[in-house]
Amino acid sequence: ADAKATITGMTLRTRRAELLRGMLESVALRLKKVFTLLCAMSDDNDVEVYASGEALFKSPLWQQILADTLDVPIYLDVGGQRAAPVGAAVMALRAAGAEAQVKAVQEKCVYPRPAGVAAMRVAFERQEALYNRLHR
């Protein structure tokens, strides 16, 4: 759509690290929106998230932000770039009525932390309200 970026809550004392974290959280919150829509299309309540990508592997902070925001464990496919195509294939097979499971060997799993989950739930509601005010 025509969504544009906005930074709210910034002061003259805001540090670069806080801006970076805010950007990572913002992206994670938009991913949560997509994740929520995908989960709503599935009859399966046992959701698993497999992720790959160099930026994710290099940043434990990014990994934790994603796990806290989605409120599910994030299984990292370290060294691979298969998470997206394998996930798409599993969703297609399940939509066609076939049993499909991921039997990947994950080298690392990042679990959501209760305090982080609670904070990201509040942030999600705040971001949704801001998005709706700006774009509807």
Side-chain angles (χ1 to χ4, degrees), residues 8-88:
T8 59
M10 193 166 81
T11 70
L12 293 174
R13 292 185 205 142
T14 302
R15 299 183 316 242
R16 287 183 290 181
E18 294 166 324
L19 283 172
L20 174 60
R21 183 181 181 102
M23 287 187 277
L24 292 173
E25 288 178 354
S26 180
V27 170
L29 292 168
R30 290 296 87 197
L31 289 173
K32 178 183 176 76
K33 180 73 170 186
V34 173
F35 180 70
T36 301
L37 294 170
L38 287 172
C39 288
M41 295 183 333
S42 172
D43 295 332
D44 190 358
N45 292 329
D46 190 23
V47 176
E48 294 179 339
V49 174
Y50 291 82
S52 62
E54 190 173 345
L56 186 63
F57 300 144
K58 288 184 176 182
S59 176
L61 174 64
W62 183 217
Q63 296 165 14
Q64 192 63 60
I65 288 171
L66 282 174
D68 291 346
T69 303
L70 300 180
D71 193 14
V72 295
I74 305 291
Y75 297 97
L76 299 175
D77 181 17
V78 178
Q81 299 293 322
R82 313 180 299 258
V86 169

